Amino acid sequence: MQAEIVLSPIGRVHVTADGYRLEIDEAYRSALMGLDGFSVVNVLWWAHLADSEEARALRTCDQPYRNAPNELGVFATRSPVRPNPIALTAAPVLQIDVARGTIDVAFIDADEGTPILDIKPYHPAIDRVRDVAVPAWCAAWP
């Protein structure tokens, strides 16, 4: 088993006056070819503001959502506080500029300067799941 995994960001999230921009490092810009035409991308990002030894050591959290059980395991939450603070957002694409290495998105729940680990196109044949079950405590969420 590999003892250490090394991840390198491919870019950063930037918050602009107009919304959110994913800025991809020059070395990875050619990887954007063919992404135009997809209306949503899955962005994997590093929750760097939640990354600490203490946060990585947490396995449970006190009632993180209204109507949730009094305690939940972090794997049952969308919290960035987890053993590896990897986050995923399905972000609606507004515009892609391959030459500049930018993807303008309608929303991403990441902060200014957040490291981007990977981008994948959202594809309904792969990413959409029919007949999903969720616990009763979150069944009323939109």
Side-chain angles (χ1 to χ4, degrees):
M1 182 171 159
Q2 187 174 346
E4 183 177 334
I5 297 172
V6 177
L7 299 173
S8 298
I10 61 164
R12 304 264 175 204
V13 173
H14 291 290
V15 181
T16 70
D18 298 324
Y20 303 89
R21 175 168 285 161
L22 311 179
E23 291 190 5
I24 307 307
D25 294 342
E26 190 169 348
Y28 299 102
R29 290 180 184 170
S30 64
L32 295 172
M33 289 189 303
L35 193 60
D36 55 332
F38 287 95
S39 65
V40 177
V41 291
N42 285 319
V43 182
L44 293 150
W45 49 275
W46 194 261
H48 66 296
L49 298 178
D51 191 5
S52 69
E53 283 188 41
E54 298 81 24
R56 286 177 176 238
L58 293 175
R59 301 296 185 258
T60 63
C61 54
D62 294 334
Q63 191 176 33
Y65 313 110
R66 186 175 20 168
N67 299 325
N70 289 336
E71 184 178 41
L72 281 177
V74 295
F75 296 151
T77 75
R78 298 290 298 221
S79 172
V81 176
R82 47 200 331 108
N84 292 303
I86 298 171
L88 168 68
T89 302
V93 174
L94 301 174
Q95 176 179 304
I96 297 175
D97 186 328
V98 174
R100 289 181 49 219
T102 60
I103 304 172
D104 292 337
V105 296
F107 177 77
I108 185 167
D109 52 341
D111 296 300
E112 170 66 29
T114 295
I116 300 168
L117 300 176
D118 201 358
I119 298 169
K120 299 175 187 295
Y122 176 93
H123 197 290
I126 299 167
D127 296 313
R128 182 178 56 198
V129 180
R130 294 173 81 172
D131 305 320
V132 174
V134 296
W137 56 265
C138 68
W141 293 5

